[in-house]
Amino acid sequence: MTPFTEEAAHVQHSSRGPQEAEPSPRAMIGRDEELRILRGLLADAADGRGSALLIHGTAGVGKSALLRSVGDEGTEGGFKVLSAAGVETELWLPFAALQLLLQPAADGIGKLPSPHRTALVDAFSATQTEPHIFRVALAVLELLTDEADRQPLLLLVDDLQWIDSPSRDVLRFVVRRTRDLPVLIVAASRVHSPDSYAPSAQPDLHLQPLSRSAAAELLDAGAPDLAAPLRALILERAAGNPLALVELPKTVQDSASQLDDLPLTQRLEDAFAARTDSASPECRTLLLALATEPSAPLNRLLDVSSRLTGTTVSVDAVQEAVDAGLVGLVGRSLEFRHPLMRSAIYTRATVADRLGTHRAIAVAMADTPERQLLHLAAATLGPDEELAARLERFADTALARGKVASAVPALRQAAELVQDPRRRTEILVRAVESASEINDRVHTQLLLDRADMSELGPLERARLMVVSDKSAFEPDEPQRRIEDMVTTAAGAFDAGGVQVAENLLWRAAARCFFQDGDARVRTLAAAELDRWNPDPDAPVVLTVRAYTEPFRYGAEVITRLDSLRPDRLDGRIMHFLGSGAMVLGDATLAARYLSLAAAAWRSQGRLGLLARSLAGSWPRVYLGQLDRAREESVEGLALAEETGEWIVWLGVKATGSLVAALRGETQAAERMLGELRAHRLFPGMPFAAVMAQQVEGLLALFDGRAAEAYDALARAFDPTDPHYHSVSRWLLAPDLADAAVAAGTVQRARELLDGLPELAARLPSEMMVVAHVYTEAVLAPDDTAEEHYAAALSALPAGWALARARLHLHHGRRLRRQRHNVEARNPLRSARDEFDRVGALPWAEMAREQLRAAGESSGRRHANTSDRLSAQEMQIAVLASRGLSNREIGQRLFISHRTVGAHLYRIYPRLGITSRGKLAAALAALQDGHPASDPSDADAG
């Protein structure tokens, strides 16, 4: 191959000549406000307050110029600048953009701790096993953090819409974690679609066309001698697009007839392509090779061009392209001055030239099989069964090594090369499954759109339905969707696909809970499972039965859940068992199993699955573990947003709102409740709606609006109301009873709860036991109240601390109303102390008021740890007190070690200490002898 020579290095110095395709970034016209914003972000990052910004706008509007401008200013300001740009041809190549972005910092990879170093080496290797995406993301975060410790960092990412999905996921991960780092990330995209392309929910800047005056100034600066009519026409056709204002004068010369009514993008492409007409054959060949493989190093491009022309193509061709303002040389790679140049040159070439260039590049890329195969496929017209088989074999090897992202493009290309429609669909199904496995929603949908549904057999239909259920949980027509899923699962089972049938039936069953399927589809799903004669102890079987017919199978499922001794390290099994217990209302079992599942997913870096298991924060509320529930719901919410787990988001957002209400944080509870109700999926999700109604009722009750509280809670028991859920409503029964006593609607509440005793006998879960005995006691007439209180306190599950304290409060209140003030003090003290311990401030204040009315003064509650620290600060403080290093804490919580240090710096003064060694004692003192986390599952952490 032609070496990279000193002559080529000389070209680099000439790469920003006066004829470049966009105006010099230092001479930007009409972008004062945008530059002011970017300079402000640079200043914040230099001070250690990192952030990110997405710039979006049409092609040629100046996004790349802004990136170059902020890059120049960052360099002058002492930043280390890392940059990369998405390319259409690399959209399917995993980690391609990330590898390019990190090249200037590559030396730091070898200095990372072993897990992070291994993750990056494996991700960028063509032969090693591909680590999970979030292991790579955390390694990149640590690499950037180490770099930023030495010098502030500026990351520039252009054409984000063409960045490969794994690289985009890593960027999204990093963007969310820059707040405490001297790191600024600026990305540019032609489209603004946060769900698909934006790195995260960060601020964005919509770049508008230039104003009329700025456009005229830019045009006159580049083409001062235009005739007046031509100048006016260019201003009209360019419509404020800076690239058009620079490029169109170069091609139309003195002829206005060349400015036809073509769309602006096509007109610009034609203008770029026309500029190559006068170039030498060697230069045109080099440009086509670059357009075909934009990331190839210069020496490889020169080698390919030489093969294609049959003569030696030297750096003279490079210089010619640079002088024409078509390309620039960055490091050892050529770059087009604008992406439209690449597409213009590629599409203008003849089909024969394009195919020949792909073949030549494939020969030159024998050392990178993935890219070689993609170019061979691009060089093929019509079916090619042999090449399709090679692509499938490559995908098989990649999948065997865990490199799922690498298998997707190979399978996609293989599908396009086979002739048989059924065979093509089978390959596409594999590609869809692989894309879905790595949570690549963009490519999953693209591949789904290519599949011919008429060619699907029962097994393929079930496999695709599993994938579509992952990528789109539509809220409309839930009963029809559940029925379709059950029917399709039956077909897959009969076709021998037991595993996919079980997966699909479990998903249908889950919808029976989330969307509260009616009795018909619940019975249908349960009957289909019975038809398979399954192992009654299999975790998926227990979960399906819990989800579908809890009042039929609940007692049996709880018994089996309690007696199983499964592998505690198997996250999948732990999650099945935990979610089954949760929907039945057995909080103790649910918290235990889901904690173990979360520990497994955390250790593997599986953030989407971790988010699902952190839904275990919900049962912790009823166990009185409000601090832990707060920590897990906050973390689960962030991870759900990051991974697109929107059903999980609804659940943990509702849990967070409930926790805030119980802690007396009314404004936070109302804010989260508003966000929950505003989500597009909320109207079709009764499991979340009933939780929202619970928060509404409790907020009204705590505020003294008893009648309003009762009405809100009663709606959850009305089958015609959208807040009704046939199972979860029973979690609200104690709240309803409280509101009924306060509002004087006890008889109405008794009528509403009339069927509870029978249901509690059929489903003896903790939820149903508490609902039954609590309401029996609180709503009992005075002459039988004492025996009901005694029975309820005896029957309550051991771990349900809040329910026990609430019963003590009611008991004391009733005794005080009967003027038994002395007898009332004991239960009221018990209630106050328990509410203080768990942090349930509204109820604690109620207990204090009742104690004062009973003649006993009660001091103010002392602030505990959770009052002084945020949820994440609590997690960090507890982990640091156990002796974990900053890097170990960061790895566990998926944040940088520098962020951990920044949090600790803020934590110490809030706890009145000065060093890490005093954390354990400070936490113990503030918790009044109670640890921050449940010790029963400390080994699961």
Side-chain angles (χ1 to χ4, degrees), residues 450-648:
R450 295 186 183 189
D452 185 350
M453 299 300 174
S454 66
E455 296 293 337
L456 294 175
L459 190 54
E460 289 81 13
R461 187 176 301 279
R463 287 162 62 189
L464 277 190
M465 188 170 277
V466 166
V467 171
S468 65
D469 184 67
K470 289 182 184 179
S471 61
F473 204 119
E474 74 290 335
D476 58 315
E477 298 188 66
Q479 319 302 337
R480 178 196 58 77
R481 175 71 173 183
I482 293 169
E483 183 174 1
D484 287 348
M485 294 171 80
V486 173
T487 302
T488 305
F493 183 86
D494 292 339
V498 175
Q499 188 172 358
V500 69
E502 286 182 346
N503 193 345
L504 188 56
L505 188 63
W506 166 69
R507 292 176 180 280
R511 285 172 180 256
C512 287
F513 170 73
F514 290 124
Q515 297 182 293
D516 200 21
D518 61 26
R520 184 182 65 84
V521 294
R522 286 175 177 271
T523 301
L524 186 69
E528 181 57 32
L529 181 66
D530 290 340
R531 187 175 75 88
W532 300 351
N533 192 27
D535 174 4
D537 284 326
V540 67
V541 172
L542 292 172
T543 304
V544 169
R545 285 181 168 161
Y547 275 142
T548 54
E549 294 197 315
F551 295 106
R552 175 184 174 190
Y553 290 109
E556 177 189 349
V557 170
I558 290 171
T559 300
R560 292 183 184 276
L561 284 172
D562 199 31
S563 62
L564 286 177
R565 296 296 179 266
D567 181 359
R568 294 160 60 91
L569 300 180
D570 190 323
R572 181 174 176 272
I573 289 177
M574 293 298 102
H575 185 83
F576 273 137
L577 299 178
S579 60
M582 184 170 68
V583 302
L584 292 175
D586 205 295
T588 303
L589 284 173
R592 180 198 309 167
Y593 282 129
L594 289 175
S595 179
L596 291 165
W601 301 137
R602 190 184 296 280
S603 68
Q604 297 172 30
R606 306 289 293 274
L607 298 198
L609 295 172
L610 174 58
R612 295 184 191 184
S613 293
L614 288 174
S617 57
W618 185 25
R620 290 193 186 281
V621 173
Y622 299 95
L623 298 177
Q625 300 169 14
L626 295 190
D627 287 353
R628 184 77 175 270
R630 180 180 71 133
E631 295 166 24
E632 292 185 351
S633 63
V634 168
E635 184 181 15
L637 188 69
L639 296 180
E641 289 178 350
E642 192 154 34
T643 57
E645 293 283 351
W646 296 114
I647 306 303
V648 174

Side-chain angles (χ1 to χ4, degrees), residues 414-463:
E416 294 176 357
L417 295 173
V418 296
Q419 190 163 13
D420 178 51
R422 177 67 181 273
R423 176 86 179 116
R424 183 184 309 118
T425 299
E426 289 174 353
I427 297 172
L428 279 174
V429 169
R430 292 188 64 199
V432 168
E433 288 176 320
S434 296
S436 175
E437 185 177 337
I438 57 176
N439 208 33
D440 184 350
R441 287 175 169 79
V442 175
H443 289 149
T444 295
Q445 193 57 53
L446 288 173
L447 292 163
L448 278 171
D449 292 342
R450 295 186 183 189
D452 185 350
M453 299 300 174
S454 66
E455 296 293 337
L456 294 175
L459 190 54
E460 289 81 13
R461 187 176 301 279
R463 287 162 62 189

Side-chain angles (χ1 to χ4, degrees), residues 319-390:
Q319 188 69 59
E320 184 181 350
V322 169
D323 290 342
L326 295 170
V327 298
L329 189 61
V330 180
R332 301 191 178 198
S333 298
L334 283 178
E335 288 184 0
F336 283 107
R337 303 302 295 158
H338 194 278
L340 286 178
M341 291 184 189
R342 190 204 68 80
S343 58
I345 289 170
Y346 186 82
T347 55
R348 186 164 175 128
T350 66
V351 173
D353 285 345
R354 288 204 298 265
L355 298 180
T357 304
H358 278 295
R359 281 192 292 269
I361 292 175
V363 172
M365 291 199 156
D367 57 336
T368 53
E370 186 173 22
R371 289 176 180 266
Q372 182 186 49
L373 285 170
L374 290 178
H375 280 290
L376 285 174
T380 303
L381 287 177
D384 188 328
E385 298 290 342
E386 181 182 350
L387 182 55
R390 285 182 62 186

Side-chain angles (χ1 to χ4, degrees), residues 276-337:
T276 67
D277 289 345
S278 59
S280 67
E282 291 80 10
C283 182
R284 288 200 301 272
T285 301
L286 176 69
L287 290 171
L288 180 56
L290 177 62
T292 306
E293 182 55 57
S295 62
L298 177 59
N299 58 348
R300 186 161 289 187
L301 287 173
L302 292 173
D303 180 58
V304 168
S305 301
S306 298
R307 293 186 187 191
L308 287 167
T309 61
T311 61
T312 299
V313 177
S314 70
V315 292
D316 291 339
V318 178
Q319 188 69 59
E320 184 181 350
V322 169
D323 290 342
L326 295 170
V327 298
L329 189 61
V330 180
R332 301 191 178 198
S333 298
L334 283 178
E335 288 184 0
F336 283 107
R337 303 302 295 158

